[in-house]
Amino acid sequence: MRGDIVRAYLEQRAVHGSWSLELTRSGLFPGGIVIPVLAEADTLLILLESLSSDSSLPASGLLVVFVINNREDAGSDVKSDNARSLALLRDISPRLPFPVGIIDASTPGFSLPDKGGGVGLARKLGHDLLLPSLDFSGVDPVIISLDADTQVSQGYAGAIMDHFRYSKAGGAVIPFTHQSATGERENQAIERYELFLRCYVAGLAHAGSPYAFHTVGSAMACRASAYLKCGGMNKRQAGEDFYFLQSLAKTSGVEQVEGAMVFPSPRRSWRVPFGTGRSVGMLLDGDPEAVLFYRPECYLLLQKWLSVAEAGCMNRSDDLMEQAGRLSSYLHSFLMDQNFPKTWSGLLSHNPGQDRLSRAFHNWFDAFRTMKLFHYLSDSSLPRTQPEQIVNTWPDAWGKAELLLHERLEYLRRVQGAIQV
């Protein structure tokens, strides 16, 4: 049955083209680590050293897949850098303590297309081409996402494999802490951005959102069956990690791994139009509004709305819009813009039982719609602001008031399980 499901996915949903997976060792594998590589020749050896230092990686049997990629219109410097990465991997792979797979998506005839080529497509290529090399005869294989400029903790691979032996969820996020930067300004920039990420997830958790987990591309994993069930990786040029984890949460669930850590790069980056690298670059360029924080009132309103909606699911209420209006006129306007009255009527008709209705509601009011609500509120009554103005005003979620910004970051790292092992 699993073979039929994999074949159906590969025929209907996988990326099709001239790409292939070069393997240093034959056979089937219990899982794989997929790593997009774009102009990363200078950091690739550091990653290989980090992976080689993890004694649990050879024992896990995982295949490490590198997707060397660039678009057809990439500059000569990028193509030259990727050629160095390809040569390095082909030379060093036989001597590494773990099996390696290489996907050439960079040389003439194999480059990613100019339209739609990016990190999402590169991740999808790695995931999809890995599938035929996975062993589905026993335990469900595991697929892990990592980035070429990251490092991992000792025991990283083993902790992830152990997690999936016991977790009921098909998806997982891995605790992360950004590497320290070389200068004070760079450190301040990455710490501010990471604090924003952590405050956001802490706020969602306090509000009771089922999407209160970090969406970091180098710190996520899933069972192969969960990958197939959610339709595979998307091809977005940025935010692919956010939408992939949202899909996993809806179809198989997402839980956090314990005992493993990922250390993403703190550097600025041109590779994606938004996210860590772009935000860090804007901060370093002196943009005072590069990383603004959502106000606690946004999360508190979300908490009230989710509570009202859960009660509505229990009682199959038909007056949720009226209740939303009593909470906030802005929430009411947002829900009207999202056509919620018609949606709620359909959910009531097609989802008998409280549990089923609640799942259907949260599938609609998902991570993306939650963020849209926050943007709506921020553009109207609750504008985003500098962290110094608000992070000490909500101790229930973000820690006691007297903490300095770097102390608050350390506090939230502890709370969210980002402790080095």
Side-chain angles (χ1 to χ4, degrees):
M1 177 60 71
R2 284 181 177 176
D4 293 340
I5 295 173
V6 173
R7 282 192 293 273
Y9 172 85
L10 292 175
E11 291 173 1
Q12 300 169 16
R13 304 296 295 270
V15 178
H16 296 287
S18 55
W19 303 285
S20 62
L21 177 62
E22 307 172 26
L23 293 174
T24 58
R25 302 179 196 175
S26 60
L28 297 177
F29 303 90
I33 303 173
V34 177
I35 307 172
V37 180
L38 171 60
E40 302 280 7
D42 291 337
T43 62
L44 199 51
L45 270 177
I46 298 173
L47 170 63
L48 290 172
E49 289 174 3
S50 179
L51 290 171
S52 297
S53 297
D54 176 15
S55 59
S56 72
L57 179 52
S60 72
L62 291 170
L63 174 69
V64 182
V65 177
F66 296 91
V67 187
I68 316 300
N69 72 96
N70 54 248
R71 299 193 320 187
E72 294 171 352
D73 63 355
S76 59
D77 56 338
V78 171
K79 293 179 179 179
S80 175
D81 192 291
N82 278 344
R84 288 169 54 205
S85 293
L86 269 175
L88 169 65
L89 287 170
R90 286 170 172 159
D91 175 63
I92 201 173
S93 291
R95 301 192 297 276
L96 292 173
F98 47 82
V100 170
I102 301 171
I103 298 172
D104 174 10
S106 60
T107 59
F110 297 98
S111 298
L112 301 182
D114 294 344
K115 184 178 181 180
V119 65
L121 179 55
R123 287 197 202 280
K124 183 171 177 60
L125 265 178
H127 284 64
D128 290 355
L129 290 176
L130 170 65
L131 287 171
S133 295
L134 296 179
D135 184 1
F136 286 88
S137 65
V139 177
D140 201 345
V142 173
I143 307 176
I144 304 166
S145 293
L146 193 62
D147 284 340
D149 58 356
T150 57
Q151 299 176 40
V152 302
S153 65
Q154 174 62 239
Y156 162 83
I160 296 173
M161 297 299 282
D162 285 344
H163 169 86
F164 283 109
R165 290 188 181 96
Y166 304 106
S167 174
K168 294 181 180 179
V173 292
I174 302 153
F176 74 97
T177 295
H178 284 96
Q179 301 168 36
S180 296
T182 54
E184 183 178 352
R185 288 186 66 245
E186 290 80 3
N187 259 329
Q188 290 175 347
I190 191 59
E191 286 185 356
R192 177 165 295 223
Y193 184 73
E194 186 178 322
L195 181 61
F196 166 75
L197 298 180
R198 295 197 180 282
C199 283
Y200 184 67
V201 169
L204 293 186
H206 193 275
S209 170
Y211 299 97
F213 48 78
H214 292 286
T215 55
V216 178
S218 58
M220 57 187 186
C222 64
R223 291 189 175 93
S225 61
Y227 181 78
L228 299 171
K229 187 175 182 180
C230 78
M233 182 65 66
N234 60 81
K235 296 185 285 187
R236 294 177 180 270
Q237 297 184 51
E240 82 294 341
D241 42 12
F242 176 91
Y243 290 98
F244 180 60
L245 283 166
Q246 176 177 261
S247 296
L248 284 173
K250 292 181 180 183
T251 54
S252 302
V254 171
E255 294 180 351
Q256 181 162 294
V257 172
E258 295 182 3
M261 283 284 294
V262 172
F263 307 103
S265 170
R267 66 185 179 180
R268 69 162 75 213
S269 176
W270 48 266
R271 291 166 176 78
V272 291
F274 57 85
T276 305
R278 181 58 60 92
S279 296
V280 168
M282 292 170 66
L283 285 171
L284 293 176
D285 291 338
D287 183 350
E289 298 187 351
V291 181
L292 298 177
F293 286 44
Y294 299 111
R295 295 177 181 271
E297 293 89 341
C298 294
Y299 303 99
L300 294 171
L301 177 58
L302 175 65
Q303 181 183 41
K304 293 175 183 177
W305 165 237
L306 294 179
S307 179
V308 164
E310 283 295 334
C313 291
M314 183 182 301
N315 302 321
R316 305 190 67 81
S317 303
D318 57 6
D319 63 344
L320 281 190
M321 283 301 299
E322 179 182 342
Q323 295 183 63
R326 289 199 293 267
L327 293 176
S328 165
S329 61
Y330 295 102
L331 172 62
H332 186 277
S333 298
F334 172 78
L335 292 173
M336 289 297 294
D337 287 349
Q338 298 296 304
N339 200 24
F340 179 69
K342 183 177 180 180
T343 297
W344 181 242
S345 177
L347 294 180
L348 286 171
S349 299
H350 296 102
N351 294 281
Q354 176 189 346
D355 290 345
R356 183 169 167 179
L357 180 57
S358 178
R359 285 195 300 272
F361 167 78
H362 285 293
N363 281 349
W364 182 81
F365 199 86
D366 55 14
F368 178 62
R369 196 159 266 115
T370 298
M371 188 172 290
K372 287 187 70 172
L373 170 62
F374 278 31
H375 287 173
Y376 187 90
L377 295 172
S378 298
D379 291 340
S380 51
S381 62
L382 298 168
R384 293 169 70 170
T385 187
Q386 299 292 338
E388 293 87 351
Q389 299 179 15
I390 59 168
V391 292
N392 64 348
T393 64
W394 196 21
D396 289 348
W398 294 340
K400 52 189 179 182
E402 60 267 26
L403 295 176
L404 300 176
L405 288 185
H406 73 274
E407 294 172 332
R408 195 172 306 281
L409 176 58
E410 287 301 313
Y411 165 78
L412 288 174
R413 283 173 174 172
R414 290 195 301 273
V415 169
Q416 295 171 354
I419 301 173
Q420 296 188 21
V421 295

